[in-house]
Amino acid sequence: MVLMIFSISLVACGNSEAKTNNNLTYEDLVDLTIEKFESELPKSGELEYEPYDIDYGNDLRSNSDITMWENGKYIKIVVYDKEEDKNETNHYRLKDDELVNINGHPDIDFDSIEEQEPDYIEEKGKIIKQ
């Protein structure tokens, strides 16, 4: 039993180190996605009003679902508040090792991208598919 759990742990850890087309690991891309999302959040006091009252908590990764397509080229992050009754979704494209927010981009049909089989799925910090 212990050997089986150890084997599963090795497989899970090894998979997150798989390289994408840009020579980044999926783990690198998850970190970049979370950093990008956090950098785009309005800071307290920057706006005259708060557009939403989502409490993301202290651990954004454990409150997020992250999905990647085309070997990490397209990434969707859905971040839930602590109560899970509200969320925010952002779409990114990896270009030259940098994430670009493509929400509402007229030349990118994210609906058709989402119809493809994802390469990577993580739900609330747990890798589901890689």
Side-chain angles (χ1 to χ4, degrees), residues 30-91:
V30 168
D31 290 342
L32 281 173
T33 302
I34 291 171
E35 287 172 18
K36 182 70 171 176
F37 182 87
E38 286 179 326
S39 74
E40 294 175 341
L41 288 174
K43 306 294 182 249
S44 181
E46 283 184 348
L47 302 174
E48 290 183 26
Y49 66 95
E50 293 299 318
Y52 43 79
D53 58 345
I54 297 177
D55 182 359
Y56 299 113
N58 294 330
D59 183 10
L60 203 62
R61 188 169 187 169
S62 67
N63 290 326
S64 303
D65 294 342
I66 300 172
T67 309
M68 299 182 202
W69 294 266
E70 296 185 24
N71 207 14
K73 180 177 180 181
Y74 295 102
I75 303 169
K76 176 175 89 171
I77 182 171
V78 179
V79 183
Y80 301 94
D81 75 348
K82 291 184 346 185
E83 306 301 320
E84 292 193 33
D85 58 343
K86 299 177 186 173
N87 67 64
E88 183 170 339
T89 302
N90 281 342
H91 299 93

